[in-house]
Amino acid sequence: MPVRNYTGDRNQMAHRDQVMLTIDLDEIAEMFKELCDAVSHNARRYTTLFAEVFQEMLPNYKTQEMNMLK
């Protein structure tokens, strides 16, 4: 199974065209079995961690200015 590239998701989320990201645990397991097990056993912690990291990265993936409503 090919590993998914999340670049498109990051760009869409940076522009608020997408609001949810789904990470496939099978993809994680292919490369990092122990991480997959940890995520499975403590989903809330890893969901928060992934969200914090992703939120911090989003400004780097903004490729166009957004029109803000006044």
Side-chain angles (χ1 to χ4, degrees):
M1 174 162 86
V3 176
R4 181 174 173 198
N5 182 338
Y6 293 95
T7 301
D9 294 294
R10 291 185 305 228
N11 291 343
Q12 288 183 331
M13 291 181 81
H15 296 287
R16 299 182 184 179
D17 294 329
Q18 180 177 334
V19 295
M20 185 174 75
L21 177 67
T22 302
I23 299 174
D24 188 345
L25 286 179
D26 291 334
E27 290 179 2
I28 294 174
E30 285 184 28
M31 298 177 76
F32 308 102
K33 176 69 172 130
E34 290 178 11
L35 175 59
C36 182
D37 292 341
V39 170
S40 296
H41 289 97
N42 199 346
R44 181 175 290 167
R45 175 177 183 241
Y46 283 94
T47 298
T48 301
L49 179 63
F50 289 160
E52 288 173 359
V53 170
F54 215 78
Q55 188 68 30
E56 189 174 308
M57 292 173 35
L58 283 182
N60 298 329
Y61 291 95
K62 196 173 189 184
T63 58
Q64 62 194 20
E65 289 300 316
M66 293 177 56
N67 293 328
M68 301 300 288
L69 296 176
K70 292 183 180 183

